[in-house]
């Protein structure tokens, strides 16, 4: 039973008895002892032996992915690897556009003088003089001793023979005045008769004529001449008014593959 004590200074205030202080003290002791509890220990008011450790707990669920870490520092360059095998050549690409013309180059040095491109020549013409006698030997060449043209010197009036110096094709012609006898003559090449001509004389009061020719292929040192018949077939004649002549000239040479005469 709560009794109220009044004093002169405590007018109107309630005063508790000593028995009413125990519950309050006990509560304060419990609060103080709870601050001294350690892991797995009972408060010092009820001290005992440590308990058995509990079993491990169940694994928790996986946590959320963490944030990306910062970039690491650059490592040192590695060693160069071995060279690989050569690959298969690729297909040719399309042709590119035509480039711009290049600059004009410098003028080159002047070359050495070349050979003069002069075509080969060979020609002659000669006639019988009035005083020239006829051959007495059948194999002897008739010598046309008066030279009309012989610039290259390929005809020899002393022997009556033409000697080839330029290989090629030649034309030879003989014009004969026939008088006082019949005439037969041959165009001879290296002792081989190439062409023969004949003119019969029938006691005409005036001279007649006989012309013959031949186209021959010659090589250097070939010779061509005129051979006349003996006796009654030697009717070559020459005077101040009529002549008998032997001529020849190069038609074309065999030097077609030459750098000079191409």
């Amino acid at each position: 039973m709560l009794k109220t004590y009044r004093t002169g200074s405590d007018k109107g205030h309630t005063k508790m008895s000593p028995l009413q202080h125990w519950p309050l003290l006990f509560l304060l002791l419990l609060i103080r002892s709870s601050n001294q509890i350690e892991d797995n220990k009972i408060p010092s008011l009820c001290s005992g032996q440590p308990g058995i450790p509990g079993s491990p707990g169940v694994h928790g669920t996986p946590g959320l992915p963490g944030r990306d870490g910062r970039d690491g520092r650059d490592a040192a360059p590695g060693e160069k690897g071995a060279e690989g095998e050569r690959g298969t050549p690729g297909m040719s690409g399309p042709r590119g556009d035509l480039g711009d013309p290049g600059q004009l180059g410098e003028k080159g040095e002047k070359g050495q003088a070349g050979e003069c491109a002069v075509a080969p020549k060979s020609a002659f013409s000669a006639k019988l003089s009035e005083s020239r006698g006829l051959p007495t030997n059948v194999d002897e060449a008739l010598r046309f001793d008066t030279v009309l043209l012989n610039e290259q010197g390929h005809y020899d009036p002393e022997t009556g023979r033409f000697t080839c110096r330029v290989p090629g094709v030649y034309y030879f012609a003989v014009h004969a005045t026939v008088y006082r006898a019949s005439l037969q003559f041959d165009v001879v090449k290296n002792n081989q008769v190439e062409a023969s001509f004949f003119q019969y004389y029938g006691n005409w009061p005036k001279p007649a004529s006989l012309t013959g020719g031949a186209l021959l292929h010659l090589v250097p040192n070939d010779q061509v001449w005129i051979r006349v018949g003996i006796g009654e077939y030697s009717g070559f004649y020459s005077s101040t008014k009529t002549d008998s002549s032997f001529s020849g000239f190069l038609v074309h040479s065999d030097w077609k593959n030459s750098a000079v005469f191409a």
Side-chain angles (χ1 to χ4, degrees), residues 159-209:
T159 63
R161 300 189 180 208
F162 170 82
T163 302
C164 174
R165 300 302 179 195
V166 179
V169 175
Y170 290 78
Y171 182 74
F172 297 94
V174 177
H175 174 77
T177 298
V178 183
Y179 188 54
R180 297 174 183 170
S182 298
L183 176 63
Q184 187 273 322
F185 67 86
D186 302 324
V187 178
V188 181
K189 169 188 170 183
N190 299 335
N191 293 319
Q192 179 69 39
V193 176
E194 299 293 339
S196 296
F197 303 92
F198 177 80
Q199 172 66 54
Y200 175 75
Y201 178 70
N203 293 321
W204 303 311
K206 294 182 179 181
S209 64

Side-chain angles (χ1 to χ4, degrees), residues 229-248:
I230 301 299
E232 59 178 326
Y233 299 109
S234 59
F236 267 108
Y237 179 76
S238 181
S239 69
T240 56
K241 294 183 179 181
T242 183
D243 292 304
S244 293
S245 63
F246 175 37
S247 303

Side-chain angles (χ1 to χ4, degrees), residues 99-247:
D100 296 331
Q103 296 182 352
L104 187 65
E106 297 180 0
K107 186 176 181 179
E109 297 180 359
K110 186 176 181 179
Q112 297 180 352
E115 300 181 40
C116 181
V118 178
K121 298 178 181 179
S122 181
F124 76 95
S125 184
K127 66 180 183 177
L128 289 174
S129 63
E130 295 183 48
S131 61
R132 170 59 58 187
L134 298 177
T136 57
N137 187 340
V138 67
D139 294 326
E140 186 179 349
L142 179 60
R143 289 179 289 173
F144 295 83
D145 55 324
T146 302
V147 174
L148 303 176
L149 176 70
N150 191 26
E151 293 180 353
Q152 292 78 35
H154 297 167
Y155 174 74
D156 186 358
E158 295 297 324
T159 63
R161 300 189 180 208
F162 170 82
T163 302
C164 174
R165 300 302 179 195
V166 179
V169 175
Y170 290 78
Y171 182 74
F172 297 94
V174 177
H175 174 77
T177 298
V178 183
Y179 188 54
R180 297 174 183 170
S182 298
L183 176 63
Q184 187 273 322
F185 67 86
D186 302 324
V187 178
V188 181
K189 169 188 170 183
N190 299 335
N191 293 319
Q192 179 69 39
V193 176
E194 299 293 339
S196 296
F197 303 92
F198 177 80
Q199 172 66 54
Y200 175 75
Y201 178 70
N203 293 321
W204 303 311
K206 294 182 179 181
S209 64
L210 173 63
T211 300
L215 196 65
L216 304 177
H217 183 270
L218 305 180
V219 296
N221 297 321
D222 280 347
Q223 289 188 332
V224 178
W225 66 91
I226 303 302
R227 186 173 66 183
V228 66
I230 301 299
E232 59 178 326
Y233 299 109
S234 59
F236 267 108
Y237 179 76
S238 181
S239 69
T240 56
K241 294 183 179 181
T242 183
D243 292 304
S244 293
S245 63
F246 175 37
S247 303

